[in-house]
């Protein structure tokens, strides 16, 4: 039994990690606002046009969207059919991260600790059932870290070089952040071989990527900046050390939620970087170069190191943070102390929370739409707040509900004065349905609307979680 303890422990972790993801998948039967916007942008596009900018502040790799478009055409707006793509990617990531940890660490305790963080990280689990590219980004990052550090151009045949070059060219069309790992691969080969041949091999990749950048990524970034100006600013690193530390700590809080005390986590992070530098292995060098490219992209304002768009970096950050646990006994005690102080919030309450997917699904667009479709009369108007507009468009289309009398809350500035002014100016002797699926945290309408609606004649009211449906007589 003692001899096989590692297999038993990692086996239990595997099973629990998969059950948690499966539980979320079973209960994830609605599309959230951001998922709705992405689906709406691809609805009327052909497969070829998915290689261009999507619009509506949406961006996703074309080789993620093409399978989704095919599934959409075959099955329609079936939530769990489309969510199969990120869900299956998340299951693959669980297995491949374990394989990566075995390659990276010498000691079993470090393998177990890194797998614990990856298998049970809340944001990694939640986004395993979100119809966005974040789960495929994570899987692609792990695959890059697993395979690329061992490949040396000098030892490849011409046929192998062609296959590798084509594979690398395809990667950004599957996952944009793979660019950081591809870049690390070419730089590592330059260091290994001490010549510029790898740069020549990189030219086809660079040529295709530059075209992709100017015809897809740059217009998409401009669209995002227009719809949500300054939305990701906290993820861009300035030139001061204080700002660098601030961005890194903010990102560590996100990756290891709910562990918000980052002093010891950041200490482990710096310690891990030092150990990888000292080790001088191909895997360590690859991890450090990849991290440097992520930071550089953030400094240049090209790609934020923040939140869900940087979730791809979770495997890399977890390997760095756990690296001190790969030491011998004396240093291992200090590393364990830092580990315990960093992740003490992974307690019973945390596991109780992540075992209940209902805590994460706080909106009910489909149910509200079914009720609205059943009760709506042609002389009534429908109003949506901004955060619910995409949900209305998608679910009304899915349920074949059409009406010209649908309006978006046209509020100049989201505050109490302007919101109440808009609501009080609605036409008298008119019935209004308010379809309110969710609210934006930074620009909330709910507090003002719910206060206003108490003074109105309510003909019908329905609430499911944080979603509201009202019929008001003005």
């Amino acid at each position: 039994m003692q001899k096989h303890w590692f297999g038993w422990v990692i086996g239990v972790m595997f099973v629990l990690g998969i059950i948690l993801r499966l539980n979320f998948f079973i209960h994830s039967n609605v599309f959230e606002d951001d998922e709705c916007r992405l689906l709406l942008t691809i609805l009327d596009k052909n497969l070829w046009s998915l290689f261009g900018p999507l619009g509506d502040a949406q961006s996703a790799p074309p080789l993620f969207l093409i399978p989704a478009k095919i599934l959409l055409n075959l099955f329609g707006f079936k939530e769990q059919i489309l969510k199969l793509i990120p869900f299956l990617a998340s299951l693959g990531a669980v297995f491949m991260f374990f394989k990566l940890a075995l390659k990276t660490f010498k000691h079993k305790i470090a393998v177990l600790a890194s797998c614990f963080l990856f298998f049970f990280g809340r944001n990694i689990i939640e986004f395993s059932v979100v119809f966005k590219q974040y789960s495929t980004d994570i899987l692609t990052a792990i695959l890059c870290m697993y395979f690329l550090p061992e490949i040396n151009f000098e030892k490849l045949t011409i046929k192998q070089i062609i296959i590798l070059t084509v594979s690398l060219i395809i990667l950004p069309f599957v996952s944009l952040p793979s660019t950081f790992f591809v870049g690390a691969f070419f730089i590592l080969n330059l260091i290994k071989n001490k010549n510029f041949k790898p740069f020549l091999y990189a030219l086809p990749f660079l040529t295709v990527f530059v075209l992709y950048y100017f015809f897809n990524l740059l217009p998409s970034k401009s669209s995002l900046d227009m719809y949500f100006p300054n939305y990701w600013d906290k993820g861009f690193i300035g030139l001061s050390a204080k700002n660098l530390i601030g961005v890194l700590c903010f990102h560590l809080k996100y990756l290891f939620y709910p562990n918000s005390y980052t002093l010891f986590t950041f200490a482990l992070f710096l310690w891990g970087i030092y150990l990888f530098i000292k080790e001088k292995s191909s895997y360590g060098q690859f991890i450090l170069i990849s991290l440097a490219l992520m930071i550089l992209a953030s400094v240049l304002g090209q790609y934020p190191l923040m939140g869900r768009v940087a979730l791809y970096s979770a495997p890399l950050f977890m390997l760095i943070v756990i690296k001190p646990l790969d030491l011998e006994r004396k240093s291992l005690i200090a590393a364990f102390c830092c580990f315990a102080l960093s992740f003490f919030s992974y307690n019973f309450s945390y596991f109780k929370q992540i075992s209940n997917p209902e805590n994460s699904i706080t909106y009910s667009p489909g149910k509200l739409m079914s009720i609205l479709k059943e009760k709506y009369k042609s002389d009534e108007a429908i109003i949506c707040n901004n955060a619910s507009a995409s949900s209305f468009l998608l679910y009304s289309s899915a349920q074949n509900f059409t009406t010209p009398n649908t309006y978006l809350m046209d509020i100049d500035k989201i505050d109490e004065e302007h919101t109440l002014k808009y609501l009080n100016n609605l036409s008298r002797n008119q019935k209004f349905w308010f379809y309110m699926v969710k609210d934006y945290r930074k620009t909330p309408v709910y507090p003002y609307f719910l206060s206003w609606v108490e003074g109105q004649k309510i003909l019908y009211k329905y609430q499911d979680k944080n979603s509201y449906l009202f019929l008001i007589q003005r």
Side-chain angles (χ1 to χ4, degrees):
M1 182 72 177
Q2 281 186 340
K3 202 172 181 181
H4 302 293
W5 70 270
F6 176 77
W8 282 102
V9 174
I10 198 66
V12 170
M13 287 170 59
F14 257 113
V15 171
L16 291 176
I18 290 169
I19 287 173
L20 284 171
R21 286 159 174 79
L22 182 60
N23 191 31
F24 267 77
F25 177 71
I26 291 168
H27 287 87
S28 184
N29 56 358
V30 295
F31 289 123
E32 198 263 345
D33 169 59
D34 211 26
E35 296 174 282
C36 292
R37 283 207 305 274
L38 181 58
L39 281 165
L40 287 167
T41 58
I42 68 172
L43 193 59
D44 298 320
K45 294 183 186 297
N46 59 41
L47 296 183
W48 177 249
S49 64
L50 296 177
F51 284 87
L54 299 176
D56 197 22
Q58 290 298 302
S59 178
L63 295 184
F64 169 82
L65 294 175
I66 286 173
K69 176 70 174 177
I70 293 169
L71 290 174
L72 188 63
N73 289 340
L74 289 174
F75 301 101
F77 298 99
K78 301 294 184 185
E79 289 91 347
Q80 287 173 318
I81 293 290
L82 289 164
K83 287 172 185 279
L84 264 176
I85 298 171
F87 175 66
L88 293 176
S90 75
L91 297 186
V94 166
F95 175 73
M96 286 307 304
F97 185 83
F98 169 64
K99 300 278 286 180
L100 177 61
L102 284 176
K103 269 195 175 185
T104 306
F105 301 124
K106 300 188 293 285
H107 297 301
K108 291 176 180 176
I109 197 69
V111 174
L112 290 174
S114 60
C115 287
F116 175 84
L117 294 181
F118 186 81
F119 291 2
F120 305 119
R122 193 194 77 164
N123 288 315
I124 294 175
I125 294 171
E126 286 189 0
F127 278 103
S128 70
V129 292
V130 172
F131 178 69
K132 297 283 284 188
Q133 64 270 29
Y134 307 125
S135 274
T136 52
D137 284 347
I138 292 171
L139 176 58
T140 306
I142 294 170
L143 291 171
C144 288
M145 287 191 283
Y146 184 81
F147 289 108
L148 292 182
E150 291 184 343
I151 299 175
N152 189 333
F153 270 118
E154 293 288 303
K155 298 178 180 179
L156 300 180
T157 64
I158 295 296
K159 183 180 177 181
Q160 289 172 328
I161 289 172
I162 292 170
I163 293 170
L164 176 64
T165 302
V166 172
S167 301
L168 295 178
I169 287 171
I170 290 171
L171 273 177
F173 295 98
V174 178
S175 166
L176 178 58
S178 66
T179 311
F180 300 124
F181 301 103
V182 174
F185 167 70
F186 285 118
I187 293 170
L188 184 59
N189 267 266
L190 284 170
I191 295 169
K192 280 181 181 177
N193 300 313
K194 297 181 175 60
N195 61 50
F196 286 94
K197 278 186 182 179
F199 178 74
L200 296 176
Y201 297 137
L203 286 177
F205 172 83
L206 290 171
T207 302
V208 174
F209 184 77
V210 166
L211 292 172
Y212 182 41
Y213 177 81
F214 282 107
F215 287 101
N216 181 310
L217 302 178
L218 191 58
S220 298
K221 186 175 184 298
S222 300
S223 172
L224 178 64
D225 291 340
M226 181 179 70
Y227 279 90
F228 300 104
N230 312 117
Y231 190 82
W232 295 107
D233 279 2
K234 288 184 179 179
F236 294 122
I237 298 168
L239 298 178
S240 69
K242 182 180 178 182
N243 184 252
L244 170 63
I245 293 169
V247 170
L248 289 172
C249 286
F250 189 76
H251 190 48
L252 288 170
K253 284 182 183 180
Y254 179 82
L255 294 179
F256 301 118
Y257 176 89
N259 300 281
S260 58
Y261 188 57
T262 57
L263 176 62
F264 293 101
T265 317
F266 192 68
L268 284 172
F269 180 72
L270 294 179
W271 194 355
I273 290 174
Y274 167 75
L275 292 174
F276 275 124
I277 293 171
K278 188 179 175 183
E279 188 179 76
K280 296 181 180 177
S281 68
S282 291
Y283 279 91
Q285 288 177 317
F286 185 85
I287 285 170
L288 294 174
I289 296 167
S290 300
L291 176 64
L293 292 176
M294 293 173 196
I295 291 172
L296 179 62
S298 178
V299 170
L300 295 176
Q302 294 301 305
Y303 206 94
L305 194 59
M306 175 188 173
R308 62 186 184 272
V309 295
L311 200 57
Y312 72 91
S313 68
L316 182 142
F317 272 73
M318 288 172 181
L319 294 179
I320 294 174
V321 165
I322 294 302
K323 183 61 178 172
L325 293 181
D326 204 33
L327 293 168
E328 299 305 324
R329 187 164 295 178
K330 275 188 180 181
S331 300
L332 191 57
I333 295 171
F336 259 119
C337 289
C338 284
F339 181 85
L341 291 167
S342 296
F343 304 114
F344 63 87
S345 292
Y346 288 149
N347 50 31
F348 177 76
S349 296
Y350 171 75
F351 281 97
K352 186 178 177 182
Q353 181 191 41
I354 63 171
S355 64
N356 183 7
E358 296 297 324
N359 293 329
S360 301
I361 303 170
T362 59
Y363 38 86
S364 187
K367 186 68 179 292
L368 264 61
M369 185 58 65
S370 298
I371 295 170
L372 180 59
K373 180 182 177 182
E374 178 188 342
K375 296 183 176 295
Y376 175 79
K377 293 182 175 61
S378 59
D379 61 337
E380 297 165 344
I382 302 170
I383 296 177
C384 304
N385 61 324
N386 281 320
S388 305
S390 298
S391 298
F392 182 89
L393 289 171
L394 185 73
Y395 279 93
S396 62
S397 178
Q399 298 188 24
N400 296 313
F401 174 58
T402 57
T403 171
N405 299 325
T406 305
Y407 305 95
L408 187 66
M409 284 189 175
D410 186 17
I411 305 172
D412 297 330
K413 182 182 178 184
I414 306 297
D415 58 20
E416 184 174 14
E417 179 188 347
H418 288 83
T419 304
L420 293 179
K421 180 181 177 183
Y422 167 81
L423 293 169
N424 288 323
N425 283 339
L426 293 174
S427 302
R428 294 286 178 177
N429 303 315
Q430 171 77 50
K431 292 178 183 178
F432 292 94
W433 283 98
F434 288 89
Y435 180 85
M436 314 280 278
V437 172
K438 62 170 285 189
D439 207 9
Y440 288 137
R441 281 181 296 175
K442 291 186 177 180
T443 54
V445 169
Y446 272 16
Y448 318 127
F449 170 76
L450 293 174
S451 173
W452 173 81
V453 85
E454 288 178 1
Q456 306 302 311
K457 184 178 180 181
I458 301 173
L459 303 178
Y460 180 82
K461 175 185 177 182
Y462 177 80
Q463 179 182 358
D464 189 6
K465 300 169 186 174
N466 292 336
S467 297
Y468 298 89
L469 185 65
F470 285 94
L471 176 59
I472 305 296
Q473 170 72 62
R474 285 288 290 159

